[in-house]
Amino acid sequence: MASTPLSILDLATVEADGSIADAFAHSVEIARLAERSGYSRIWYAEHHNMPSIASSATAVLIAHIAARTETIGLGAGGVMLPNHSPLVIAEQFGTLAELHPGRIHLGLGRAPGTDGATFRALRRTHQAAESFPSDVVELQRYLSDELPRNAVNAYPGRGTRVPLTILGSSMFGASLAAQLGLPYSFASHFAPQHLTSAVQHYRAHYVPSEAHPEPYVSAGINVVAAETDDQAEALFVRTEVERVRNFLSRGRERELTADEASALLDTPAGTEIRGMLKYTAVGGPERVRAELETFARFADVDELVTLHPAPTRAEQLTSIQLTAPAAPAV
């Protein structure tokens, strides 16, 4: 049986003692490694007002990475469409598609990707999420060859047919993707609760479209790979501590130490945060590959979106490289 295609979600993470420029340089390093190693594409997610994540301007970051790579697919995973005008997104990603034909992908989410105060600073309202389905259709029209009904075109954009994917962690996204005949990606790397029911619903209710006659599902999974199983298990423990430390340090005058975070692992808050890592492949290369294939069959997906949350840059790159043999050659 052929291995399930693998892609990567890169959050352009900023280290505690590093800079945003360092994060972007690391993203280039990840992309070049992924391109050499056979990953199919890399996704960049829109987040705002999060000092540890530098991928807020997804289109700009994709342009930067695309200019420094040659073949790997690059996409927004995703653009939070309620934050934007569909016309502006069509122009941005139409520009990218013209500059880098065949390499650009556009995932669309309904959540704001931030807190309420920042959402207001984006000059959006909570009602904007209610128009998400019609905004997706409007965006599709701007990227198609269809003549405009209201004399508005996206230049660049029109005719590029940038491939769209609906992102989600609930039944809403699954239903919309099925209705529109679009690929669907489930955020099981941090929201595992409704994975199987959402995928089942999507496949059962899928309406074939011209671009996508068959359903196509991807799902997120965390990967902690090391040279040996024992090393990977030890690395996963540190990864859990770092995740709890990051989350529970928010809003504090100082960040928690690793020892303080370790003491909170089994508290209700710590347990909930660790639960976000429910779907994580941990091990040496052989075990990771087996766990990825087991997860792909369990989730009934066509592609796996891997997130490598190891605490250090070097450990993250090692995890990406060791996981790569499970991916098909480009």
Side-chain angles (χ1 to χ4, degrees):
M1 182 176 125
S3 298
T4 305
L6 298 186
S7 56
I8 292 174
L9 174 63
D10 177 12
L11 299 178
T13 305
V14 182
E15 292 184 307
D17 57 349
S19 67
I20 290 175
D22 293 336
F24 292 151
H26 184 58
S27 289
V28 171
E29 192 172 6
I30 288 173
R32 288 174 171 167
L33 174 60
E35 187 170 72
R36 295 193 304 269
S37 304
Y39 288 86
S40 57
R41 47 188 168 178
I42 303 178
W43 301 97
Y44 302 93
E46 176 185 346
H47 294 277
H48 299 282
N49 198 29
M50 296 184 183
S52 62
I53 297 178
S55 54
S56 56
T58 52
V60 179
L61 181 55
I62 290 169
H64 177 73
I65 302 294
R68 288 156 179 81
T69 52
E70 297 180 0
T71 58
I72 195 164
L74 300 167
V79 162
M80 301 297 106
L81 196 54
N83 295 344
H84 310 277
S85 154
L87 176 61
V88 170
I89 297 303
E91 291 170 341
Q92 290 177 357
F93 282 82
T95 299
L96 289 169
E98 296 287 2
L99 290 169
H100 307 283
R103 297 181 60 195
I104 303 303
H105 308 267
L106 176 52
L108 301 169
R110 185 174 66 131
T114 189
D115 57 83
T118 309
F119 187 65
R120 291 189 293 274
L122 290 165
R123 302 296 189 265
R124 310 303 289 172
T125 67
H126 289 287
Q127 287 69 38
E130 297 176 6
S131 64
F132 180 67
S134 60
D135 284 349
V136 173
V137 173
E138 181 181 348
L139 177 58
Q140 279 185 299
R141 190 168 66 245
Y142 287 135
L143 296 171
S144 74
D145 297 314
E146 180 183 334
L147 289 173
R149 297 178 182 176
N150 58 357
V152 175
N153 267 307
Y155 297 120
R158 184 177 175 192
T160 57
R161 296 182 176 271
V162 175
L164 304 183
T165 296
I166 300 297
L167 312 182
S169 57
S170 69
M171 300 304 291
F172 180 90
S175 297
L176 180 62
Q179 273 185 305
L180 297 179
L182 289 172
Y184 177 57
S185 187
F186 192 90
S188 40
H189 59 288
F190 75 90
Q193 293 85 355
H194 305 292
L195 170 62
T196 54
S197 57
V199 172
Q200 289 168 5
H201 180 88
Y202 168 76
R203 291 195 181 279
H205 295 86
Y206 188 77
V207 178
S209 61
E210 179 182 352
H212 305 283
E214 300 292 334
Y216 188 89
V217 186
S218 59
I221 180 169
N222 299 285
V223 180
V224 177
E227 294 288 349
T228 69
D229 293 347
D230 288 345
Q231 289 174 348
E233 288 169 5
L235 181 57
F236 180 62
V237 172
R238 288 175 46 224
T239 299
E240 285 189 303
V241 171
E242 186 66 12
R243 176 67 64 95
V244 170
R245 190 186 70 79
N246 284 335
F247 271 78
L248 297 186
S249 290
R250 293 176 182 175
R252 294 174 179 262
E253 290 185 3
R254 67 168 181 83
E255 291 191 343
L256 297 172
T257 65
D259 287 342
E260 288 170 336
S262 295
L264 298 173
L265 287 180
D266 294 324
T267 64
T271 300
E272 182 178 356
I273 294 165
R274 291 164 62 203
M276 296 166 67
L277 296 170
K278 176 180 179 179
Y279 296 126
T280 302
V282 180
E286 290 186 11
R287 192 168 96 181
V288 160
R289 180 169 186 165
E291 290 188 4
L292 289 175
E293 290 304 320
T294 298
F295 176 75
R297 289 192 296 271
F298 162 76
D300 191 19
V301 298
D302 304 291
E303 176 184 340
L304 294 176
V305 181
T306 64
L307 183 73
H308 298 262
T312 70
R313 300 274 198 238
E315 290 165 334
Q316 183 184 41
L317 291 172
T318 297
S319 182
I320 290 170
Q321 189 164 28
L322 293 175
T323 304
V330 174

